[in-house]
Amino acid sequence: MEKWANLYPNVRFLTVCVDSLGVAKSFASMFGFNKVVNCHIPSRRYFPVGYGQLGCSGFVVVDERGCFVSRKTMAYLQYGEAAFTYVENLLERVFDVRPMYRSSTADAVP
């Protein structure tokens, strides 16, 4: 996601950890988050309804008004690189943004 955050500077990328604060911090450190907003949900009481584990299983995409563009994109685990290409095409089509430069999404996980 950090790579996407650099490719699409006008789009905000957010990760939400539903495990522990320690896992969220480890994840941010492991993947070098700088432009990605990394969050933590402290307990089940705050969990969003209708969403589960995503990441490599898909992404939630929300527009600037808070409306869902996609509750779950194609899963990387099922479609491989085509899933990431789908997300890039969705961002470009819905938000009318173009990447700062073209690059392979192969190392864009997560």
Side-chain angles (χ1 to χ4, degrees), residues 32-78:
F33 288 165
N34 182 33
K35 293 185 178 183
V36 171
V37 176
N38 190 30
C39 302
H40 167 253
I41 295 179
S43 72
R44 285 217 171 271
R45 186 173 81 174
Y46 298 101
F47 275 25
V49 176
Y51 298 94
Q53 175 66 35
L54 292 174
C56 287
S57 297
F59 296 95
V60 175
V61 180
V62 181
D63 69 15
E64 64 274 2
R65 296 179 318 266
C67 298
F68 289 94
V69 173
S70 174
R71 287 179 57 121
K72 182 178 183 237
T73 62
M74 294 170 55
Y76 177 80
L77 297 174
Q78 214 173 354

mmCIF file of all heavy atoms in Angstrom, residues 32-78:
data_model
loop_
_atom_site.group_PDB
_atom_site.id
_atom_site.type_symbol
_atom_site.label_atom_id
_atom_site.label_comp_id
_atom_site.label_asym_id
_atom_site.label_seq_id
_atom_site.Cartn_x
_atom_site.Cartn_y
_atom_site.Cartn_z
ATOM 1 N N GLY A 32 7.162 -0.466 6.242
ATOM 2 C CA GLY A 32 7.675 0.886 6.064
ATOM 3 C C GLY A 32 6.623 1.930 5.767
ATOM 4 O O GLY A 32 6.827 2.795 4.922
ATOM 5 N N PHE A 33 5.499 1.872 6.477
ATOM 6 C CA PHE A 33 4.446 2.853 6.236
ATOM 7 C C PHE A 33 4.925 4.252 6.584
ATOM 8 O O PHE A 33 5.419 4.510 7.671
ATOM 9 C CB PHE A 33 3.197 2.540 7.057
ATOM 10 C CG PHE A 33 2.426 1.342 6.580
ATOM 11 C CD1 PHE A 33 1.480 0.762 7.384
ATOM 12 C CD2 PHE A 33 2.631 0.805 5.323
ATOM 13 C CE1 PHE A 33 0.745 -0.329 6.962
ATOM 14 C CE2 PHE A 33 1.917 -0.289 4.885
ATOM 15 C CZ PHE A 33 0.966 -0.858 5.714
ATOM 16 N N ASN A 34 4.760 5.143 5.638
ATOM 17 C CA ASN A 34 5.077 6.546 5.831
ATOM 18 C C ASN A 34 3.869 7.385 5.421
ATOM 19 O O ASN A 34 3.407 8.219 6.169
ATOM 20 C CB ASN A 34 6.319 6.922 5.022
ATOM 21 C CG ASN A 34 6.732 8.340 5.222
ATOM 22 O OD1 ASN A 34 6.568 8.904 6.289
ATOM 23 N ND2 ASN A 34 7.260 8.951 4.179
ATOM 24 N N LYS A 35 3.343 7.111 4.232
ATOM 25 C CA LYS A 35 2.181 7.844 3.737
ATOM 26 C C LYS A 35 0.870 7.115 4.020
ATOM 27 O O LYS A 35 -0.192 7.708 3.981
ATOM 28 C CB LYS A 35 2.328 8.085 2.236
ATOM 29 C CG LYS A 35 3.459 9.025 1.908
ATOM 30 C CD LYS A 35 3.508 9.329 0.442
ATOM 31 C CE LYS A 35 4.636 10.317 0.171
ATOM 32 N NZ LYS A 35 4.684 10.696 -1.222
ATOM 33 N N VAL A 36 0.949 5.820 4.292
ATOM 34 C CA VAL A 36 -0.248 5.039 4.614
ATOM 35 C C VAL A 36 -0.662 5.342 6.048
ATOM 36 O O VAL A 36 0.176 5.388 6.946
ATOM 37 C CB VAL A 36 0.029 3.521 4.454
ATOM 38 C CG1 VAL A 36 -1.130 2.696 4.986
ATOM 39 C CG2 VAL A 36 0.304 3.180 3.001
ATOM 40 N N VAL A 37 -1.950 5.564 6.257
ATOM 41 C CA VAL A 37 -2.479 5.771 7.602
ATOM 42 C C VAL A 37 -2.740 4.387 8.190
ATOM 43 O O VAL A 37 -3.460 3.574 7.593
ATOM 44 C CB VAL A 37 -3.782 6.610 7.572
ATOM 45 C CG1 VAL A 37 -4.370 6.741 8.957
ATOM 46 C CG2 VAL A 37 -3.517 7.972 6.949
ATOM 47 N N ASN A 38 -2.141 4.110 9.331
ATOM 48 C CA ASN A 38 -2.253 2.802 9.961
ATOM 49 C C ASN A 38 -3.064 2.936 11.243
ATOM 50 O O ASN A 38 -2.707 3.699 12.129
ATOM 51 C CB ASN A 38 -0.851 2.267 10.265
ATOM 52 C CG ASN A 38 -0.856 0.829 10.689
ATOM 53 O OD1 ASN A 38 -1.694 0.053 10.284
ATOM 54 N ND2 ASN A 38 0.092 0.463 11.519
ATOM 55 N N CYS A 39 -4.173 2.196 11.325
ATOM 56 C CA CYS A 39 -5.089 2.299 12.469
ATOM 57 C C CYS A 39 -5.228 0.970 13.190
ATOM 58 O O CYS A 39 -4.850 -0.066 12.678
ATOM 59 C CB CYS A 39 -6.470 2.734 11.989
ATOM 60 S SG CYS A 39 -6.485 4.285 11.117
ATOM 61 N N HIS A 40 -5.846 1.043 14.347
ATOM 62 C CA HIS A 40 -6.077 -0.132 15.171
ATOM 63 C C HIS A 40 -7.478 -0.047 15.751
ATOM 64 O O HIS A 40 -7.904 1.003 16.227
ATOM 65 C CB HIS A 40 -5.029 -0.170 16.291
ATOM 66 C CG HIS A 40 -5.339 -1.147 17.361
ATOM 67 N ND1 HIS A 40 -5.771 -0.761 18.606
ATOM 68 C CD2 HIS A 40 -5.295 -2.496 17.368
ATOM 69 C CE1 HIS A 40 -5.972 -1.842 19.340
ATOM 70 N NE2 HIS A 40 -5.698 -2.889 18.618
ATOM 71 N N ILE A 41 -8.217 -1.155 15.718
ATOM 72 C CA ILE A 41 -9.523 -1.228 16.361
ATOM 73 C C ILE A 41 -9.306 -1.909 17.706
ATOM 74 O O ILE A 41 -8.892 -3.066 17.752
ATOM 75 C CB ILE A 41 -10.535 -2.002 15.497
ATOM 76 C CG1 ILE A 41 -10.792 -1.239 14.197
ATOM 77 C CG2 ILE A 41 -11.842 -2.207 16.261
ATOM 78 C CD1 ILE A 41 -11.760 -1.918 13.254
ATOM 79 N N PRO A 42 -9.581 -1.212 18.818
ATOM 80 C CA PRO A 42 -9.219 -1.723 20.142
ATOM 81 C C PRO A 42 -10.048 -2.897 20.666
ATOM 82 O O PRO A 42 -9.581 -3.642 21.509
ATOM 83 C CB PRO A 42 -9.385 -0.505 21.047
ATOM 84 C CG PRO A 42 -10.371 0.349 20.354
ATOM 85 C CD PRO A 42 -10.157 0.127 18.880
ATOM 86 N N SER A 43 -11.284 -3.070 20.167
ATOM 87 C CA SER A 43 -12.083 -4.196 20.657
ATOM 88 C C SER A 43 -13.191 -4.511 19.656
ATOM 89 O O SER A 43 -13.502 -3.709 18.781
ATOM 90 C CB SER A 43 -12.696 -3.876 22.024
ATOM 91 O OG SER A 43 -13.733 -2.923 21.896
ATOM 92 N N ARG A 44 -13.787 -5.681 19.823
ATOM 93 C CA ARG A 44 -14.868 -6.118 18.925
ATOM 94 C C ARG A 44 -16.025 -5.116 18.882
ATOM 95 O O ARG A 44 -16.711 -5.000 17.884
ATOM 96 C CB ARG A 44 -15.404 -7.473 19.358
ATOM 97 C CG ARG A 44 -14.492 -8.597 19.024
ATOM 98 C CD ARG A 44 -15.341 -9.813 18.607
ATOM 99 N NE ARG A 44 -14.505 -10.851 18.070
ATOM 100 C CZ ARG A 44 -14.167 -10.945 16.790
ATOM 101 N NH1 ARG A 44 -14.612 -10.063 15.937
ATOM 102 N NH2 ARG A 44 -13.410 -11.925 16.362
ATOM 103 N N ARG A 45 -16.216 -4.405 19.955
ATOM 104 C CA ARG A 45 -17.297 -3.421 20.030
ATOM 105 C C ARG A 45 -17.202 -2.376 18.910
ATOM 106 O O ARG A 45 -18.204 -1.830 18.472
ATOM 107 C CB ARG A 45 -17.240 -2.731 21.390
ATOM 108 C CG ARG A 45 -18.379 -1.802 21.655
ATOM 109 C CD ARG A 45 -18.332 -1.297 23.045
ATOM 110 N NE ARG A 45 -17.372 -0.200 23.108
ATOM 111 C CZ ARG A 45 -17.173 0.542 24.165
ATOM 112 N NH1 ARG A 45 -17.810 0.280 25.275
ATOM 113 N NH2 ARG A 45 -16.314 1.522 24.151
ATOM 114 N N TYR A 46 -15.999 -2.118 18.439
ATOM 115 C CA TYR A 46 -15.772 -1.110 17.403
ATOM 116 C C TYR A 46 -15.648 -1.696 16.003
ATOM 117 O O TYR A 46 -15.437 -0.959 15.052
ATOM 118 C CB TYR A 46 -14.511 -0.307 17.717
ATOM 119 C CG TYR A 46 -14.606 0.450 19.012
ATOM 120 C CD1 TYR A 46 -13.994 -0.034 20.159
ATOM 121 C CD2 TYR A 46 -15.320 1.638 19.092
ATOM 122 C CE1 TYR A 46 -14.082 0.654 21.356
ATOM 123 C CE2 TYR A 46 -15.414 2.334 20.279
ATOM 124 C CZ TYR A 46 -14.796 1.837 21.410
ATOM 125 O OH TYR A 46 -14.895 2.514 22.589
ATOM 126 N N PHE A 47 -15.732 -3.013 15.868
ATOM 127 C CA PHE A 47 -15.571 -3.644 14.557
ATOM 128 C C PHE A 47 -16.663 -3.172 13.605
ATOM 129 O O PHE A 47 -17.827 -3.055 13.987
ATOM 130 C CB PHE A 47 -15.680 -5.163 14.674
ATOM 131 C CG PHE A 47 -14.401 -5.851 15.037
ATOM 132 C CD1 PHE A 47 -13.388 -5.204 15.714
ATOM 133 C CD2 PHE A 47 -14.211 -7.176 14.719
ATOM 134 C CE1 PHE A 47 -12.222 -5.839 16.065
ATOM 135 C CE2 PHE A 47 -13.049 -7.829 15.058
ATOM 136 C CZ PHE A 47 -12.056 -7.164 15.727
ATOM 137 N N PRO A 48 -16.293 -2.934 12.356
ATOM 138 C CA PRO A 48 -17.322 -2.594 11.365
ATOM 139 C C PRO A 48 -18.172 -3.821 11.056
ATOM 140 O O PRO A 48 -17.687 -4.945 11.056
ATOM 141 C CB PRO A 48 -16.502 -2.170 10.139
ATOM 142 C CG PRO A 48 -15.172 -2.807 10.328
ATOM 143 C CD PRO A 48 -14.960 -2.946 11.804
ATOM 144 N N VAL A 49 -19.449 -3.616 10.815
ATOM 145 C CA VAL A 49 -20.362 -4.703 10.503
ATOM 146 C C VAL A 49 -20.254 -5.021 9.007
ATOM 147 O O VAL A 49 -20.245 -4.128 8.179
ATOM 148 C CB VAL A 49 -21.819 -4.308 10.860
ATOM 149 C CG1 VAL A 49 -22.801 -5.394 10.455
ATOM 150 C CG2 VAL A 49 -21.919 -3.997 12.345
ATOM 151 N N GLY A 50 -20.156 -6.305 8.697
ATOM 152 C CA GLY A 50 -20.143 -6.718 7.297
ATOM 153 C C GLY A 50 -18.771 -6.818 6.673
ATOM 154 O O GLY A 50 -18.656 -7.049 5.472
ATOM 155 N N TYR A 51 -17.721 -6.639 7.458
ATOM 156 C CA TYR A 51 -16.368 -6.727 6.919
ATOM 157 C C TYR A 51 -15.552 -7.674 7.767
ATOM 158 O O TYR A 51 -15.685 -7.712 8.980
ATOM 159 C CB TYR A 51 -15.683 -5.356 6.907
ATOM 160 C CG TYR A 51 -16.400 -4.387 6.021
ATOM 161 C CD1 TYR A 51 -17.344 -3.529 6.544
ATOM 162 C CD2 TYR A 51 -16.163 -4.369 4.659
ATOM 163 C CE1 TYR A 51 -18.036 -2.656 5.734
ATOM 164 C CE2 TYR A 51 -16.855 -3.504 3.843
ATOM 165 C CZ TYR A 51 -17.783 -2.648 4.386
ATOM 166 O OH TYR A 51 -18.468 -1.806 3.582
ATOM 167 N N GLY A 52 -14.703 -8.418 7.114
ATOM 168 C CA GLY A 52 -13.823 -9.327 7.827
ATOM 169 C C GLY A 52 -12.398 -9.115 7.363
ATOM 170 O O GLY A 52 -12.027 -8.023 6.945
ATOM 171 N N GLN A 53 -11.618 -10.167 7.396
ATOM 172 C CA GLN A 53 -10.224 -10.104 6.966
ATOM 173 C C GLN A 53 -10.171 -9.791 5.478
ATOM 174 O O GLN A 53 -10.752 -10.488 4.675
ATOM 175 C CB GLN A 53 -9.553 -11.455 7.238
ATOM 176 C CG GLN A 53 -8.142 -11.565 6.727
ATOM 177 C CD GLN A 53 -7.182 -10.634 7.457
ATOM 178 O OE1 GLN A 53 -7.334 -10.409 8.637
ATOM 179 N NE2 GLN A 53 -6.217 -10.103 6.741
ATOM 180 N N LEU A 54 -9.465 -8.742 5.128
ATOM 181 C CA LEU A 54 -9.326 -8.418 3.710
ATOM 182 C C LEU A 54 -7.840 -8.427 3.356
ATOM 183 O O LEU A 54 -7.198 -9.449 3.462
ATOM 184 C CB LEU A 54 -10.006 -7.095 3.376
ATOM 185 C CG LEU A 54 -11.539 -7.140 3.477
ATOM 186 C CD1 LEU A 54 -12.130 -5.760 3.278
ATOM 187 C CD2 LEU A 54 -12.116 -8.094 2.475
ATOM 188 N N GLY A 55 -7.261 -7.301 2.982
ATOM 189 C CA GLY A 55 -5.846 -7.301 2.591
ATOM 190 C C GLY A 55 -5.648 -8.081 1.316
ATOM 191 O O GLY A 55 -6.135 -7.696 0.270
ATOM 192 N N CYS A 56 -4.966 -9.211 1.387
ATOM 193 C CA CYS A 56 -4.751 -10.044 0.201
ATOM 194 C C CYS A 56 -6.037 -10.699 -0.281
ATOM 195 O O CYS A 56 -6.081 -11.294 -1.336
ATOM 196 C CB CYS A 56 -3.682 -11.098 0.475
ATOM 197 S SG CYS A 56 -2.022 -10.403 0.539
ATOM 198 N N SER A 57 -7.096 -10.581 0.514
ATOM 199 C CA SER A 57 -8.401 -11.112 0.109
ATOM 200 C C SER A 57 -9.273 -10.033 -0.513
ATOM 201 O O SER A 57 -10.436 -10.276 -0.817
ATOM 202 C CB SER A 57 -9.116 -11.723 1.321
ATOM 203 O OG SER A 57 -8.392 -12.813 1.811
ATOM 204 N N GLY A 58 -8.739 -8.834 -0.689
ATOM 205 C CA GLY A 58 -9.467 -7.745 -1.305
ATOM 206 C C GLY A 58 -9.331 -6.468 -0.496
ATOM 207 O O GLY A 58 -8.790 -6.483 0.607
ATOM 208 N N PHE A 59 -9.799 -5.371 -1.058
ATOM 209 C CA PHE A 59 -9.712 -4.071 -0.408
ATOM 210 C C PHE A 59 -11.080 -3.411 -0.395
ATOM 211 O O PHE A 59 -11.889 -3.618 -1.292
ATOM 212 C CB PHE A 59 -8.730 -3.147 -1.146
ATOM 213 C CG PHE A 59 -7.323 -3.642 -1.112
ATOM 214 C CD1 PHE A 59 -6.814 -4.393 -2.154
ATOM 215 C CD2 PHE A 59 -6.495 -3.366 -0.026
ATOM 216 C CE1 PHE A 59 -5.510 -4.858 -2.122
ATOM 217 C CE2 PHE A 59 -5.193 -3.824 0.017
ATOM 218 C CZ PHE A 59 -4.697 -4.574 -1.043
ATOM 219 N N VAL A 60 -11.312 -2.595 0.606
ATOM 220 C CA VAL A 60 -12.500 -1.756 0.674
ATOM 221 C C VAL A 60 -12.101 -0.412 0.070
ATOM 222 O O VAL A 60 -11.053 0.131 0.405
ATOM 223 C CB VAL A 60 -12.961 -1.558 2.147
ATOM 224 C CG1 VAL A 60 -14.126 -0.586 2.214
ATOM 225 C CG2 VAL A 60 -13.314 -2.894 2.770
ATOM 226 N N VAL A 61 -12.924 0.124 -0.824
ATOM 227 C CA VAL A 61 -12.632 1.414 -1.449
ATOM 228 C C VAL A 61 -13.790 2.354 -1.165
ATOM 229 O O VAL A 61 -14.951 2.016 -1.423
ATOM 230 C CB VAL A 61 -12.415 1.269 -2.975
ATOM 231 C CG1 VAL A 61 -12.102 2.619 -3.610
ATOM 232 C CG2 VAL A 61 -11.298 0.262 -3.270
ATOM 233 N N VAL A 62 -13.462 3.514 -0.605
ATOM 234 C CA VAL A 62 -14.458 4.509 -0.219
ATOM 235 C C VAL A 62 -14.122 5.820 -0.924
ATOM 236 O O VAL A 62 -12.952 6.187 -1.028
ATOM 237 C CB VAL A 62 -14.437 4.708 1.320
ATOM 238 C CG1 VAL A 62 -15.483 5.715 1.756
ATOM 239 C CG2 VAL A 62 -14.629 3.383 2.037
ATOM 240 N N ASP A 63 -15.138 6.531 -1.387
ATOM 241 C CA ASP A 63 -14.860 7.802 -2.068
ATOM 242 C C ASP A 63 -14.710 8.947 -1.068
ATOM 243 O O ASP A 63 -14.814 8.750 0.150
ATOM 244 C CB ASP A 63 -15.918 8.106 -3.130
ATOM 245 C CG ASP A 63 -17.293 8.438 -2.595
ATOM 246 O OD1 ASP A 63 -17.436 8.721 -1.376
ATOM 247 O OD2 ASP A 63 -18.250 8.435 -3.389
ATOM 248 N N GLU A 64 -14.500 10.136 -1.583
ATOM 249 C CA GLU A 64 -14.247 11.304 -0.728
ATOM 250 C C GLU A 64 -15.447 11.722 0.115
ATOM 251 O O GLU A 64 -15.312 12.440 1.092
ATOM 252 C CB GLU A 64 -13.746 12.488 -1.572
ATOM 253 C CG GLU A 64 -14.744 13.009 -2.586
ATOM 254 C CD GLU A 64 -14.722 12.259 -3.919
ATOM 255 O OE1 GLU A 64 -13.962 11.298 -4.062
ATOM 256 O OE2 GLU A 64 -15.494 12.641 -4.818
ATOM 257 N N ARG A 65 -16.633 11.228 -0.235
ATOM 258 C CA ARG A 65 -17.845 11.521 0.548
ATOM 259 C C ARG A 65 -18.140 10.441 1.575
ATOM 260 O O ARG A 65 -19.123 10.530 2.302
ATOM 261 C CB ARG A 65 -19.039 11.692 -0.394
ATOM 262 C CG ARG A 65 -18.930 12.877 -1.334
ATOM 263 C CD ARG A 65 -20.144 12.978 -2.254
ATOM 264 N NE ARG A 65 -20.581 11.695 -2.774
ATOM 265 C CZ ARG A 65 -20.209 11.168 -3.947
ATOM 266 N NH1 ARG A 65 -19.397 11.819 -4.727
ATOM 267 N NH2 ARG A 65 -20.667 9.991 -4.326
ATOM 268 N N GLY A 66 -17.310 9.386 1.603
ATOM 269 C CA GLY A 66 -17.526 8.289 2.539
ATOM 270 C C GLY A 66 -18.435 7.200 2.000
ATOM 271 O O GLY A 66 -18.842 6.309 2.737
ATOM 272 N N CYS A 67 -18.749 7.265 0.709
ATOM 273 C CA CYS A 67 -19.597 6.243 0.084
ATOM 274 C C CYS A 67 -18.729 5.093 -0.420
ATOM 275 O O CYS A 67 -17.646 5.314 -0.969
ATOM 276 C CB CYS A 67 -20.377 6.843 -1.084
ATOM 277 S SG CYS A 67 -21.508 8.157 -0.576
ATOM 278 N N PHE A 68 -19.217 3.882 -0.249
ATOM 279 C CA PHE A 68 -18.457 2.718 -0.677
ATOM 280 C C PHE A 68 -18.474 2.585 -2.194
ATOM 281 O O PHE A 68 -19.526 2.566 -2.810
ATOM 282 C CB PHE A 68 -19.008 1.442 -0.045
ATOM 283 C CG PHE A 68 -18.711 1.363 1.421
ATOM 284 C CD1 PHE A 68 -19.631 1.804 2.351
ATOM 285 C CD2 PHE A 68 -17.499 0.873 1.864
ATOM 286 C CE1 PHE A 68 -19.359 1.753 3.706
ATOM 287 C CE2 PHE A 68 -17.201 0.816 3.218
ATOM 288 C CZ PHE A 68 -18.134 1.267 4.144
ATOM 289 N N VAL A 69 -17.290 2.505 -2.757
ATOM 290 C CA VAL A 69 -17.129 2.250 -4.181
ATOM 291 C C VAL A 69 -17.056 0.737 -4.371
ATOM 292 O O VAL A 69 -17.590 0.187 -5.317
ATOM 293 C CB VAL A 69 -15.846 2.925 -4.717
ATOM 294 C CG1 VAL A 69 -15.571 2.533 -6.150
ATOM 295 C CG2 VAL A 69 -15.952 4.436 -4.579
ATOM 296 N N SER A 70 -16.398 0.069 -3.430
ATOM 297 C CA SER A 70 -16.295 -1.386 -3.445
ATOM 298 C C SER A 70 -16.168 -1.882 -2.008
ATOM 299 O O SER A 70 -15.290 -1.436 -1.276
ATOM 300 C CB SER A 70 -15.067 -1.829 -4.253
ATOM 301 O OG SER A 70 -14.897 -3.221 -4.163
ATOM 302 N N ARG A 71 -17.036 -2.799 -1.629
ATOM 303 C CA ARG A 71 -16.938 -3.396 -0.289
ATOM 304 C C ARG A 71 -15.816 -4.420 -0.246
ATOM 305 O O ARG A 71 -15.319 -4.735 0.820
ATOM 306 C CB ARG A 71 -18.248 -4.050 0.094
ATOM 307 C CG ARG A 71 -19.329 -3.049 0.421
ATOM 308 C CD ARG A 71 -20.617 -3.734 0.775
ATOM 309 N NE ARG A 71 -20.441 -4.646 1.890
ATOM 310 C CZ ARG A 71 -21.102 -4.546 3.031
ATOM 311 N NH1 ARG A 71 -21.968 -3.584 3.191
ATOM 312 N NH2 ARG A 71 -20.898 -5.405 3.992
ATOM 313 N N LYS A 72 -15.460 -4.971 -1.415
ATOM 314 C CA LYS A 72 -14.380 -5.948 -1.482
ATOM 315 C C LYS A 72 -13.955 -6.100 -2.936
ATOM 316 O O LYS A 72 -14.725 -6.562 -3.758
ATOM 317 C CB LYS A 72 -14.834 -7.288 -0.927
ATOM 318 C CG LYS A 72 -13.725 -8.325 -0.918
ATOM 319 C CD LYS A 72 -14.210 -9.627 -0.305
ATOM 320 C CE LYS A 72 -13.064 -10.593 -0.249
ATOM 321 N NZ LYS A 72 -13.306 -11.822 -0.932
ATOM 322 N N THR A 73 -12.720 -5.690 -3.220
ATOM 323 C CA THR A 73 -12.206 -5.844 -4.579
ATOM 324 C C THR A 73 -11.789 -7.300 -4.799
ATOM 325 O O THR A 73 -11.865 -8.133 -3.896
ATOM 326 C CB THR A 73 -10.995 -4.919 -4.816
ATOM 327 O OG1 THR A 73 -9.946 -5.280 -3.912
ATOM 328 C CG2 THR A 73 -11.381 -3.456 -4.650
ATOM 329 N N MET A 74 -11.322 -7.594 -5.993
ATOM 330 C CA MET A 74 -10.836 -8.944 -6.309
ATOM 331 C C MET A 74 -9.725 -9.332 -5.332
ATOM 332 O O MET A 74 -8.921 -8.496 -4.937
ATOM 333 C CB MET A 74 -10.283 -8.975 -7.738
ATOM 334 C CG MET A 74 -11.316 -8.748 -8.819
ATOM 335 S SD MET A 74 -10.598 -8.491 -10.470
ATOM 336 C CE MET A 74 -9.600 -9.932 -10.692
ATOM 337 N N ALA A 75 -9.691 -10.596 -4.971
ATOM 338 C CA ALA A 75 -8.708 -11.089 -4.009
ATOM 339 C C ALA A 75 -7.397 -11.471 -4.686
ATOM 340 O O ALA A 75 -7.393 -12.214 -5.667
ATOM 341 C CB ALA A 75 -9.268 -12.302 -3.276
ATOM 342 N N TYR A 76 -6.295 -10.965 -4.145
ATOM 343 C CA TYR A 76 -4.971 -11.333 -4.647
ATOM 344 C C TYR A 76 -4.768 -12.843 -4.518
ATOM 345 O O TYR A 76 -4.192 -13.479 -5.401
ATOM 346 C CB TYR A 76 -3.881 -10.588 -3.872
ATOM 347 C CG TYR A 76 -2.489 -10.979 -4.302
ATOM 348 C CD1 TYR A 76 -1.937 -10.433 -5.454
ATOM 349 C CD2 TYR A 76 -1.744 -11.902 -3.578
ATOM 350 C CE1 TYR A 76 -0.677 -10.799 -5.877
ATOM 351 C CE2 TYR A 76 -0.477 -12.274 -3.991
ATOM 352 C CZ TYR A 76 0.052 -11.722 -5.136
ATOM 353 O OH TYR A 76 1.300 -12.097 -5.558
ATOM 354 N N LEU A 77 -5.256 -13.419 -3.423
ATOM 355 C CA LEU A 77 -5.083 -14.852 -3.185
ATOM 356 C C LEU A 77 -5.777 -15.693 -4.258
ATOM 357 O O LEU A 77 -5.394 -16.825 -4.502
ATOM 358 C CB LEU A 77 -5.614 -15.228 -1.799
ATOM 359 C CG LEU A 77 -4.884 -14.576 -0.627
ATOM 360 C CD1 LEU A 77 -5.586 -14.891 0.688
ATOM 361 C CD2 LEU A 77 -3.435 -15.023 -0.585
ATOM 362 N N GLN A 78 -6.776 -15.129 -4.905
ATOM 363 C CA GLN A 78 -7.522 -15.844 -5.932
ATOM 364 C C GLN A 78 -7.090 -15.453 -7.349
ATOM 365 O O GLN A 78 -7.025 -16.303 -8.228
ATOM 366 C CB GLN A 78 -9.004 -15.522 -5.758
ATOM 367 C CG GLN A 78 -9.919 -16.635 -6.085
ATOM 368 C CD GLN A 78 -11.359 -16.266 -5.711
ATOM 369 O OE1 GLN A 78 -11.647 -15.224 -5.114
ATOM 370 N NE2 GLN A 78 -12.273 -17.131 -6.075
#
